Amino acid sequence: MSEIRHEWPLFEVFVRAKRGLNHVHVGSLRAADHAMALHHARDLYTRRNEGVSIWVVRSEDVVASGPDDKDAFFAPSGDKAYRHPTYYSIPDSVPHI
Amino acid sequence: MSEEQAFAEVIDKDQRIEPRDWMPDGYRKTMIRQIAQHAHSEIIGMQPEGAWITRAPSLRRKAILLAKVQDEAGHGLYLYSAAETLGADRGDLTRRLIEGRQKYSSIFNYPTLTFADVGVIGWLVDGAAICNQVPLCRSSYGPYARAMIRICKEESFHQRQGYELLMTMMRGTEAQREMVRDAVDRWWWPSLMMFGPPDADSPNTAQSMAWKIKRHTNDELRQRFVDMTVPQAEALGVTLPDPDLRWNAEREHYDFGAIDWSELKRVISGDGPMNAERIARRRQADEDGAWVREAAAAHAAKRTEVRA
């Protein structure tokens, strides 16, 4: 009676708000196939001109780093302050730099 | 650092918990229950106003009402989407709603008797929802907070269209003004009950505040709503049905009369005027749609466009 039946697969939705901007993740929805996912995404996430283009991706196809990878992935850049322009002191008198 | 410490640190720093982070079982359960209850409220909330779409008095009002009810559906879906990030399944949540194992807001168990109810729902019910929802944009659970930001942006249209509708009716005939007064009389107290039981009788509030799932207590939000609404009622020219409602200069808030909590308990436990009908309608819609969902899935499988 109450076993979980996934009737339709899950899709992640990305919307480009306007030309010149990236597609941004806005949420997910369920649909029978990609074409239906696009239509549902249009109805669900762009009712007020929020977008000019939509991507849908099967959620199970997304490969993501996990919270446990955080240190291995992101800690190495933490001690490389010399990658940032503010690391270098230049006298105020030097123009345009 | 242990998982518990990492979780506590994120909460403490006012950052957001994201789906794949470790979280206490109680946090996950509470979040699923709160998000599901909220999603169900949006979906059931389509019914009271949806009943007036075919009877809207003008094409303009009909287009507005259609857009609003479509928004409620959208809000429900944003929220089911957020619930799924916690491991819930939306089909399962719908089943829990239909079987009465999960709740929705008590407010939708009242009938919409006249078109003025559409206006009053926009003004008072959506106004109360906005009071509740704005602080939830800072909820500690990221997907819920993001869904709430979208919802709050859209909810403002709901409240304004309701208030404008009522202003129009108040400028109309005496019969129209009487409809507005009657609707305000019926919806005022149930709207105050939307904020939930008084703080003294709300055992989960302390834990929810500690987890930053909830940012203000029920009574704080209720007071905020009353303070916000009284001047709007004056501008509209209606009297709210509470003889004890008056400005308290010392508190710098409006005092208001005692709420009949036995009514809230009765409606929540299933004995409101419309509980049975709301659930029956939702069950019927689910059953009526079953063959469409199955056919679409079969069609997709046949084309093997999507791996089953």
Side-chain angles (χ1 to χ4, degrees):
Chain A
M1 184 62 187
S2 59
E3 92 283 9
I4 290 181
R5 290 175 295 142
H6 294 287
E7 288 179 315
W8 289 343
L10 195 63
F11 291 82
E12 301 300 321
V13 181
F14 302 78
V15 173
R16 183 199 293 285
K18 59 181 181 184
R19 291 181 167 277
L21 296 180
N22 294 321
H23 286 78
V24 173
H25 183 246
V26 291
S28 70
L29 51 77
R30 288 194 176 267
D33 57 25
H34 286 92
M36 185 192 276
L38 267 182
H39 285 133
H40 283 181
R42 190 263 325 263
D43 292 343
L44 186 55
Y45 290 108
T46 61
R47 289 196 301 284
R48 289 182 176 77
N49 305 317
E50 290 96 335
V52 295
S53 162
I54 300 172
W55 290 349
V56 292
V57 180
R58 279 285 292 265
S59 304
E60 63 177 31
D61 289 340
V62 174
V63 179
S65 68
D68 297 342
D69 303 328
K70 202 173 141 226
D71 286 348
F73 265 66
F74 306 114
S77 66
D79 58 358
K80 296 182 178 59
Y82 49 83
R83 288 184 169 169
H84 298 277
T86 48
Y87 178 77
Y88 304 94
S89 29
I90 308 279
D92 289 344
S93 54
V94 181
H96 304 304
I97 183 162
Chain B
M1 187 171 18
S2 75
E3 288 168 326
E4 285 93 334
Q5 283 168 331
F7 173 85
E9 196 179 293
V10 170
I11 299 283
D12 192 49
K13 284 188 182 160
D14 232 349
Q15 294 175 337
R16 301 287 177 262
I17 301 295
E18 293 296 342
R20 297 183 63 185
D21 292 338
W22 182 90
M23 59 191 86
D25 281 348
Y27 180 90
R28 185 183 298 275
K29 279 197 193 113
T30 304
M31 256 355 281
I32 291 178
R33 195 186 58 222
Q34 182 175 331
I35 298 174
Q37 186 167 325
H38 193 163
H40 297 331
S41 301
E42 300 282 358
I43 296 299
I44 295 290
M46 296 166 74
Q47 292 184 38
E49 292 174 280
W52 282 95
I53 290 175
T54 57
R55 295 176 287 169
S58 69
L59 184 58
R60 177 171 179 270
R61 290 293 168 198
K62 188 172 186 161
I64 292 169
L65 193 49
L66 266 172
K68 180 172 190 256
V69 173
Q70 192 189 18
D71 273 355
E72 313 289 2
H75 296 174
L77 295 178
Y78 302 155
L79 291 161
Y80 285 129
S81 163
E84 289 205 284
T85 66
L86 290 158
D89 170 86
R90 67 184 81 189
D92 178 58
L93 296 178
T94 295
R95 220 159 299 125
R96 286 167 189 269
L97 168 66
I98 289 171
E99 291 169 7
R101 290 183 289 143
Q102 279 180 342
K103 299 201 180 302
Y104 55 90
S105 175
S106 57
I107 195 77
F108 301 116
N109 290 315
Y110 293 88
T112 40
L113 302 182
T114 73
F115 196 70
D117 289 41
V118 171
V120 170
I121 288 178
W123 174 38
L124 295 181
V125 175
D126 292 318
I130 290 171
C131 268
N132 256 331
Q133 290 170 353
V134 167
L136 296 177
C137 296
R138 293 185 298 122
S139 160
S140 61
Y141 189 58
Y144 186 48
R146 293 192 285 274
M148 291 317 306
I149 289 170
R150 292 187 78 88
I151 289 172
C152 284
K153 275 188 198 162
E154 299 180 352
E155 205 72 58
S156 168
F157 138 63
H158 296 182
Q159 195 189 20
R160 290 175 65 103
Q161 66 81 34
Y163 196 80
E164 188 220 55
L165 190 166
L166 296 175
M167 288 198 309
T168 307
M169 287 187 79
M170 290 301 284
R171 285 195 303 265
T173 64
E174 185 50 32
Q176 284 176 304
R177 277 189 288 278
E178 189 45 42
M179 278 164 77
V180 174
R181 289 182 207 120
D182 170 63
V184 169
D185 284 351
R186 283 182 289 109
W187 288 94
W188 172 248
W189 291 105
S191 298
L192 293 188
M193 293 175 199
M194 282 176 70
F195 296 92
D199 293 349
D201 197 19
S202 177
N204 300 323
T205 293
Q207 179 62 76
S208 290
M209 301 266 285
W211 276 333
K212 298 184 181 170
I213 289 174
K214 218 170 156 169
R215 296 292 189 154
H216 305 282
T217 71
N218 296 351
D219 287 334
E220 283 167 11
L221 292 168
R222 192 166 10 246
Q223 181 71 60
R224 186 178 294 181
F225 173 69
V226 171
D227 291 348
M228 198 179 86
T229 306
V230 173
Q232 294 170 352
E234 283 166 9
L236 192 59
V238 296
T239 307
L240 297 169
D242 178 359
D244 297 325
L245 189 66
R246 65 178 61 86
W247 179 251
N248 182 327
E250 207 171 302
R251 288 200 313 128
E252 300 203 326
H253 289 293
Y254 285 93
D255 290 335
F256 53 95
I259 295 171
D260 178 6
W261 295 115
S262 66
E263 178 179 328
L264 178 66
K265 283 197 180 116
R266 210 162 54 237
V267 175
I268 286 182
S269 64
D271 204 16
M274 300 295 280
N275 295 56
E277 187 174 329
R278 298 291 186 237
I279 290 297
R281 182 75 198 87
R282 183 67 193 89
R283 179 191 296 274
Q284 189 64 46
D286 189 59
E287 288 171 3
D288 290 350
W291 74 268
V292 181
R293 296 193 296 274
E294 283 164 23
H299 178 67
K302 198 169 169 188
R303 289 172 53 206
T304 64
E305 197 226 63
V306 171
R307 296 177 300 282

